[in-house]
Amino acid sequence: MTTVVASAPAPATVDTPRWVRPAVAVLLLGTAALYLTNLAVSGWGNDFYAMAVQAGTWDWKAWFFGSLDPGNVVTVDKPPLSLWVMGLSGRIFGFSSWSMLVPDALAGVAAVGLLYLAVRRLSGPVAGLLAGSLLALTPVAALMFRFNNPDAFLVLLLVAAGYFLVRALENASTKWLLLAGAAIGFGFLDKMLQAFLVLPAFVLAYLVAAPTSLGRRLWQLLAAAGAVVVSAGWWVLAVALWPVSDRPYISGSTNNSVLELAFGYNGLGRIFGQGHGGGGGAVRPDPSAVSGARAGAVHGFGGQTGLTRLFSEQFGGEASWLLPAALIGLVAGLWFSRRAPRTDRTRAALLLWGAWTVVSVLVFSYMSGIIHPYYTVALAPGIAATVAISATELWRGREYLAPRVVLAAMLAATVAWSFLLLDRTPSWQPWVRYAVLGLGVVGVFALLFAAARRVVAVLAVVAALLGMASFTVATASTAHTGGSPASGPQTGRKGRVGFGGPATSNAELNRLLATATTKWAAAETGAMQAAGLALNSGKPVLAVGGFSGSDPAPTLAQFQQYVAQGEIHYFVVPRTGRGGSADRAGRAGPGGFGGSRGTSAKITAWVEQTFHASTVGGTTVYDLTQK
């Protein structure tokens, strides 16, 4: 039995069955249809990133830095790789919801294709097709590959890195290992340290299974680490060497530094709970400090830490559908292959994708800083590949009792957990969960006792995937906006929109801004507020203080200089009900983030004291060209 389970074929050296290419075509076309159909239903998605994409279509420097406005006052609080792709699409096709979101959807199709190729090379075309299908049908994948957050391109780059590592494992290729490191480095330029969560899995798989000496494996890994540093560091170095007076402020950092942002707010702060970002040291929302409707809006900032987090009400429906099966299959696969040669292909594949899954699960479960449920999209490739590889290898050994029992356990765990997840939305298609339960019971029995192989396989796959696939289709057909979107159907489930949006469009204010001919049509405290103005009016808007309004950009002196030079026409006070509460001076801050503090508060106070207020469409506006 050990030999059967541990000896995968060498797909790169055998003839490909005639049915494989049509099956791959169906997989990719089906994924494209799922991710591209009615793509613009979510509008601008996350207004915050859409504002930066818009700025990048107006100004190349804004595109390079990921600035929130074409005047390059302050950046987004992430690196700009995803903005580069979406911005180029907007320049080519014109800036619109469609041109912005299509690159994310195509990134999803490419990720599915690359996962198929990676799994196929070590475990055969059946496992590859199953892995690609599982990734495509994961609800959080359908969510993020149809959205403009950075996560879509992060997943694509990490799956590409996995494919490169698999190629390196085949013959201890330095070239492919360097490419894997470069892909992870570019992942850093998309979402910083989250890209490094796969590194332990990559190092483990290569150290254990690469067909070369230990010394060569070590120096190759050191070279790959250099590739990570170079591919991640070139942009960081460019920003550091660029004159500070000629570039935007790095939002979320405390000292205008990309490295401080990477290892502070966007790095260790996420792990250990230091929820500070921005020069003003503003604390990001804590759901424990918010009640009522606001608590539902920002609940996605973490919840309780622990191994049950990814199965909780907030996180469970995103990517955990097959997680129990993946863990069962991983343990079984490693046990059955324990006596295999060091370079065994199946064990290498399980170490790669299994360690990817386990490390990410542990980090996401115990990180005490800001975490959104959609972060778990980075888990989806690991879970999909682990389930596909282990299930395929166990199926090959189905003549033996032990593999059949493990397969039955994987199916039973998946069916039971799917039923519980579907039961959390009892008013939505209740027949689905009962169909899953009924098919699952029959499938488990058939795995243990039936002899009709193909019928059993089809029944087991349908039972395992029906609930997850239904949730995914509902996700793809639902509009998602704001900073913390969630998977699943619209049934009043908490956390659907999340903080920040979408901003209410004020037609009268938009018409007013459309007449402005200044460098910035308006300024408003906090990007989550200013984004709505920029997107709805089609005019540049200065987001005072960056994301939350707490960054020292611009300073009061800089703002006064802009006004004196006639570069800002209006100052808009955030309205109550546009993602947060604010009084006339905006002292409560946009989105409840405490944005009107420090420099932002000084600017607001100076505007109030210097200029006269008027009301436009229910919004308080100051004309900065008239005192």
Side-chain angles (χ1 to χ4, degrees), residues 43 86 126 188 299 307 503 508 540 558 578 595:
M86 292 185 285
V126 173
F188 176 90
H299 86 283
L307 287 177
E508 189 175 347
Q558 288 172 328
R578 287 183 55 195

Side-chain angles (χ1 to χ4, degrees), residues 53-100:
V53 174
Q54 181 188 51
T57 64
W58 284 331
D59 181 80
W60 282 112
K61 185 188 289 187
W63 175 84
F64 179 77
F65 286 106
S67 299
L68 283 167
D69 67 276
N72 292 287
V73 173
V74 63
T75 69
V76 298
D77 59 350
K78 299 290 188 298
L81 186 140
S82 66
L83 303 177
W84 291 341
V85 183
M86 292 185 285
L88 287 176
S89 177
R91 282 181 173 269
I92 294 170
F93 300 106
F95 178 64
S96 67
S97 173
W98 181 89
S99 69
M100 178 180 66

Side-chain angles (χ1 to χ4, degrees), residues 231-608:
S231 58
W234 69 270
W235 183 79
V236 177
L237 181 62
V239 174
L241 294 178
W242 203 292
V244 174
S245 60
D246 190 45
R247 67 165 172 82
Y249 185 90
I250 305 302
S251 181
S253 70
T254 58
N255 61 357
N256 201 6
S257 164
V258 173
L259 283 179
E260 195 281 330
L261 175 64
F263 291 96
Y265 165 64
N266 270 342
L268 299 180
R270 302 272 174 159
I271 301 296
F272 299 111
Q274 301 164 0
H276 299 274
V283 179
R284 304 296 172 123
D286 181 348
S288 66
V290 187
S291 60
R294 285 292 297 157
V298 301
H299 86 283
F301 280 84
Q304 295 296 318
T305 60
L307 287 177
T308 60
R309 170 187 271 179
L310 299 189
F311 301 97
S312 67
E313 180 77 22
Q314 298 173 22
F315 287 79
E318 305 295 331
S320 73
W321 298 78
L322 298 174
L323 181 54
L327 297 177
I328 294 170
L330 174 62
V331 172
L334 293 177
W335 174 258
F336 290 147
S337 62
R338 66 191 184 281
R339 295 191 180 94
R342 177 180 65 82
T343 57
D344 178 72
R345 300 167 72 89
T346 297
R347 184 170 57 202
L350 287 172
L351 287 175
L352 171 60
W353 303 106
W356 174 324
T357 300
V358 170
V359 171
S360 298
V361 164
L362 291 175
V363 172
F364 290 153
S365 295
Y366 286 100
M367 60 186 289
S368 54
I370 294 173
I371 176 174
H372 297 279
Y374 64 76
Y375 286 6
T376 56
V377 70
L379 264 172
I383 294 174
T386 303
V387 169
I389 294 166
S390 59
T392 302
E393 295 304 324
L394 289 165
W395 181 256
R396 287 178 178 142
R398 62 189 176 277
E399 291 85 0
Y400 302 92
L401 177 61
R404 293 205 309 272
V405 170
V406 175
L407 277 172
M410 291 173 66
L411 178 58
T414 300
V415 167
W417 181 231
S418 296
F419 183 87
L420 292 174
L421 285 173
L422 292 167
D423 195 51
R424 291 177 177 176
T425 54
S427 63
W428 177 78
Q429 304 295 340
W431 68 268
V432 174
R433 64 182 184 274
Y434 294 109
V436 168
L437 186 61
L439 288 171
V441 170
V442 176
V444 169
F445 180 85
L447 278 171
L448 292 174
F449 304 109
R453 298 176 179 177
R454 293 183 180 178
V455 174
V456 171
V458 171
L459 188 63
V461 170
V462 171
L465 298 186
L466 179 59
M468 184 174 78
S470 300
F471 226 65
T472 297
V473 172
T475 299
S477 60
T478 299
H480 301 278
T481 56
S484 189
S487 302
Q490 279 189 322
T491 58
R493 188 165 161 259
K494 293 181 180 179
R496 172 137 318 273
V497 173
F499 71 88
T504 302
S505 180
N506 184 328
E508 189 175 347
L509 182 59
N510 293 336
R511 287 194 294 269
L512 178 66
L513 266 58
T515 64
T517 58
T518 50
K519 183 176 182 178
W520 293 282
E524 187 170 9
T525 300
M528 298 308 296
Q529 309 297 323
L533 289 180
L535 295 169
N536 292 324
S537 69
K539 288 287 187 175
V541 175
L542 196 164
V544 177
F547 172 72
S548 65
S550 62
D551 293 306
T555 64
L556 175 59
Q558 288 172 328
F559 189 85
Q560 290 172 332
Q561 182 180 3
Y562 298 151
V563 174
Q565 293 172 346
E567 295 182 320
I568 309 175
H569 201 140
Y570 300 102
F571 185 87
V572 180
V573 175
R575 289 182 61 191
T576 300
R578 287 183 55 195
S581 59
D583 61 14
R584 188 171 178 273
R587 291 188 179 88
F593 288 7
S596 192
R597 299 179 178 183
T599 302
S600 296
K602 294 177 182 178
I603 290 173
T604 301
W606 178 75
V607 168
E608 283 188 301

Side-chain angles (χ1 to χ4, degrees), residues 177-188:
L177 194 61
L178 292 177
L179 286 173
I184 292 174
F186 277 99
F188 176 90

Side-chain angles (χ1 to χ4, degrees), residues 7-14 120-125 345-346 393 396:
S7 299
T13 61
V14 299
R120 176 187 182 276
R121 293 195 74 87
L122 294 183
S123 302
R345 300 167 72 89
T346 297
E393 295 304 324
R396 287 178 178 142

